Amino acid sequence: MRKTILCAALALLAATPLMAADKVKVGLLTTLSGAGAGLGVDIRDGFLLGLKHSGGKLGGVPIELVTADDQQNPEVAKQTAERLLKRDKVDLMTGIVFSNVMLAVGPTVFDAKVPYISANAGPSQYAGEQCNPYFFNVAWQNDNLHEAVGKTVLEKGFKKLVVLAPNYPAGKDAITGFKRFYKGPNAVIADEIYTKLGQLDYAAELAQARAAKPDAMYIFLPGGMGISFIKQFVGAGLSKDITLFGPGFSADEDVIRAVGDPMLGMFNSSHWAHDMDNTANRKFVADFKAEYGRLPSLYASQGYDAARLMDGAVKDVKGKVEDKAALLKALKAARFDSVRGDFRFNNNQYPIQDYYLRVITKNTANQVTNRTLYKIFSQHADAYAASCKMK
Amino acid sequence: MDWILVTEQLLNGLQFGLMLFLLAAGLTLVFGIMDMINLAHGSLYMVGAYLAAAVLAAGGGFVAAVVAAMLGTALLGMLLEWSLLRRLYQRDHLSQVLATFALILILNEGVRMVWGEQPLMLNTPAALSGPVELLPGLLYPSYRLLIIGVGLAVALGLWLGVTRTRIGMWVRAGASNRPMAMALGVDTRRLFTLVFGLGAALCALAGSLLGPLLAVQVGMGESILILAFVVIVIGGIGSIRGALVGSLLVGLVDTASRTLLPMLLRQLATPEVASNVGPALASMLIYLLMAAVLFWKPQGLFPARSG
């Protein structure tokens, strides 16, 4: 008798994968503690809002969300990812903020053949030769925002620059991207400063920048690093002579909320802005404000889009997430309304999209926030896609 | 190399060192008197910064914010000592490390529950938000000058307090030989609660003064705590003088290595190599300094305890 029940149970277990899934399991692994927690929380909140907009389901299938904290630590992230893949058996993964964490987790996820939808980290490695059919990026390739600023700084006629970035993969990508478009006889990079990741006091770097006497400065400093830097930049009086440029996330709502007035006048580039005028974005921004009581940041918009992309893809495969080939194809087709307007994947599964210039000003309600000025790039792709062998 | 840059960096090193001193002073006394390793010291620094931000956001002035942060954090510190840490004195260092590490996690989570995950806004008072011209061509942020002033005043006050007052005498006695001090009738328990409260207040002073320069965020105490430990190891455990000298040394070396090293490397190697090696070497230099000090003076520069 016992044997029969066991056999029946085993048969049932074995039969499960053949039926359409009764639920989709999603692993949301992101930074929820430590210095980078604000970024992970915005991705998570955006993602949760995306789920809410599809009725707590993905493509009509109920979802089970497993949330985990990577502590911004590649080692912890790798172990947690293994737990999500082996014990929780997730069907899809998303959430990682930092490129060094993504590079540590990637191989584990790809080996398990689980599609990963990056809501932020876009390392150049996975865009080029190490591109992978299981890696999708719904944000941007690490260089893109910096390329857009490089082009702008050159066009605005700034001739002498100091650039500053943390010494880690995305920092190097950033400066590479910036220099790809800021070059020519009228472009001089007077100083290139690399700092420790997570550094908060920039007195030494600011003194160095002052000594170089540039007319503009470009910074790539995510999260608290950017908050600290901008406060000190203004306190040192450098904002009077030096125009400050940064990528969108160094000048987004999360940073503005912590810095306030000293941020006025900073130029930055983004593929998304809360004032972009399209139906999906208006709904997203209004609902985010209502739900969480703050303006969404670019991270939140990316988390939201990751959920919408998953929803579209699961709908396309009619809930059969076990059919990996079909699921990958559906993800790549990206049939969803992005809050940033036009969006499609390149052959390396990184976005081809528009990039805009924004400036931080006071709005009509006297709040400090971003205003979109104009489009820098139309349908811009990254520089690594050519070396990716995927078609 | 121009003298403006060098002077500015010296001031930066001094300012950073003095802030480290505020953290290291409390840490070294706690470690010195009670032989207690308190990893949660940095969390008190974070609590101080958050309290200051909260008071400022509620409409209090900057001075009120700093004072409130110091009082609030001192209270919290004494409460922690009385309710929890007291029970750990007789245990070995491993238990202390485990318990106070747990305290870090609890305090981080507590701050997150009260104020949320997003960094808070805490800005310099308007009057101090620009630079001043110290000498022709030498501009320096006025707020950092204020920090230097406060840091020097506190260092002087602590030195007077420890060397010239009766409580200071007890503290010195407790740090250099605890059993003997107790035998002579010093109530080390009460003394220690007091020292802990003072240490917490100094943490809060550092946190609320640095808050306007740095991001006020959960976990902000951890990175600076490591440096505070380096300082007390270099300076010698239990010694205020050691903490001051160690702080200034670490502050100056850290600041100088971050700017001078890459410059130097650029003279010697290609920019590519310099930008790769420079920052890595700079972040190692403090630990090399610590290793060098320990090699020649295993007890630190000014050990309080001779035995």
Side-chain angles (χ1 to χ4, degrees), chain B residues 145-176:
Chain B
L145 282 180
L146 170 83
I147 290 184
I148 292 177
V150 173
L152 286 175
V154 170
L156 184 70
L158 266 184
W159 178 75
L160 285 176
V162 170
T163 54
R164 295 279 189 277
T165 64
R166 181 160 289 269
I167 293 183
M169 190 181 72
W170 292 339
V171 168
R172 273 180 293 144
S176 59

Side-chain angles (χ1 to χ4, degrees), chain B residues 131-146:
Chain B
V132 285
E133 196 160 11
L134 292 178
L135 290 166
L138 175 64
L139 287 166
Y140 197 72
S142 49
Y143 187 75
R144 287 192 194 263
L145 282 180
L146 170 83

Side-chain angles (χ1 to χ4, degrees), chain A residues 32-35 37-38 41-42 44 167 172 191-192 194 196 199-205 207-208 210-211 224 227-228 231-232 234-237 240 254 257-260 262 294, chain B residues 2 5 8-9 12 15-16 112 117-123 129-131 139-142 144 211-219 223 255 258-259 263 266 275-276 279-280 283:
Chain A
L32 297 174
S33 62
V41 166
D42 263 17
R44 181 194 68 194
N167 193 24
K172 299 273 165 160
D191 208 344
E192 208 171 304
Y194 290 95
K196 206 161 61 183
Q199 180 174 316
L200 293 177
D201 195 326
Y202 294 94
E205 288 75 11
Q208 204 176 333
R210 196 203 299 274
I227 295 172
S228 305
K231 286 177 172 184
Q232 294 166 31
V234 175
K240 285 189 201 63
D254 51 336
R257 211 166 29 241
V259 178
R294 59 179 200 266
Chain B
D2 72 65
L5 182 61
E8 198 176 345
Q9 296 296 17
N12 286 334
Q15 178 256 311
F16 184 46
R112 185 173 290 141
E117 296 90 344
Q118 305 294 338
L120 288 196
M121 177 146 80
L122 173 60
N123 281 339
S129 63
L139 287 166
Y140 197 72
S142 49
R144 287 192 194 263
L213 289 177
L214 312 180
V216 177
Q217 58 185 0
V218 173
S223 52
T255 308
R258 263 156 51 200
T259 41
M263 276 187 196
R266 235 169 301 174
S275 74
N276 278 321
S283 49

Side-chain angles (χ1 to χ4, degrees), chain B:
Chain B
M1 176 87 41
D2 72 65
W3 65 272
I4 291 181
L5 182 61
V6 175
T7 319
E8 198 176 345
Q9 296 296 17
L10 282 176
L11 284 170
N12 286 334
L14 180 66
Q15 178 256 311
F16 184 46
L18 285 168
M19 280 300 101
L20 275 180
F21 170 69
L22 293 186
L23 291 174
L27 197 62
T28 201
L29 287 180
V30 167
F31 202 166
I33 298 174
M34 280 302 179
D35 200 22
M36 158 93 193
I37 299 183
N38 178 22
L39 290 186
H41 199 70
S43 301
L44 295 170
Y45 160 85
M46 170 184 72
V47 169
Y50 268 90
L51 282 177
V55 173
L56 208 59
F62 186 73
V63 177
V66 174
V67 173
M70 287 176 71
L71 289 177
T73 313
L75 268 175
L76 175 73
M78 287 195 281
L79 191 72
L80 281 177
E81 195 277 333
W82 173 78
S83 61
L84 175 75
L85 300 176
R86 212 163 244 221
R87 283 154 237 288
L88 295 168
Y89 300 152
Q90 304 307 324
R91 302 286 197 92
D92 56 4
H93 283 164
L94 185 63
S95 315
Q96 295 170 354
V97 164
L98 277 175
T100 52
F101 184 71
L103 207 54
I104 292 183
L105 302 178
I106 293 167
L107 284 172
N108 276 348
E109 206 52 46
V111 164
R112 185 173 290 141
M113 280 159 76
V114 177
W115 285 290
E117 296 90 344
Q118 305 294 338
L120 288 196
M121 177 146 80
L122 173 60
N123 281 339
T124 47
L128 291 170
S129 63
V132 285
E133 196 160 11
L134 292 178
L135 290 166
L138 175 64
L139 287 166
Y140 197 72
S142 49
Y143 187 75
R144 287 192 194 263
L145 282 180
L146 170 83
I147 290 184
I148 292 177
V150 173
L152 286 175
V154 170
L156 184 70
L158 266 184
W159 178 75
L160 285 176
V162 170
T163 54
R164 295 279 189 277
T165 64
R166 181 160 289 269
I167 293 183
M169 190 181 72
W170 292 339
V171 168
R172 273 180 293 144
S176 59
N177 193 332
R178 184 156 35 107
M180 184 59 86
M182 281 162 81
L184 290 175
V186 177
D187 182 352
T188 41
R189 272 179 91 113
R190 210 172 61 204
L191 176 68
F192 187 67
T193 310
L194 220 65
V195 168
F196 204 88
L198 177 70
L202 291 178
C203 279
L205 182 61
S208 53
L209 282 181
L210 282 182
L213 289 177
L214 312 180
V216 177
Q217 58 185 0
V218 173
M220 64 189 281
E222 276 116 81
S223 52
I224 202 157
L225 178 77
I226 297 173
L227 286 180
F229 268 109
V230 171
V231 163
I232 67 168
V233 168
I234 288 179
I237 289 156
S239 156
I240 288 283
R241 188 162 54 137
L244 183 61
V245 173
S247 301
L248 293 179
L249 216 57
V250 168
L252 287 171
V253 167
D254 184 64
T255 308
S257 67
R258 263 156 51 200
T259 41
L260 301 184
L261 216 59
M263 276 187 196
L264 203 70
L265 279 170
R266 235 169 301 174
Q267 312 287 322
L268 302 172
T270 61
E272 181 77 6
V273 174
S275 74
N276 278 321
V277 178
L281 213 58
S283 49
M284 274 193 297
L285 213 61
I286 286 175
Y287 302 98
L288 290 178
L289 171 74
M290 179 170 78
V293 169
L294 290 185
F295 181 76
W296 280 289
K297 301 205 92 174
Q299 300 290 320
L301 295 175
F302 302 100
R305 204 169 299 179
S306 42

Side-chain angles (χ1 to χ4, degrees), chain A residues 229-251:
Chain A
F229 178 84
I230 295 163
K231 286 177 172 184
Q232 294 166 31
F233 178 80
V234 175
L238 291 178
S239 52
K240 285 189 201 63
D241 307 315
I242 304 174
T243 311
L244 190 60
F245 287 87
F249 49 80
S250 288

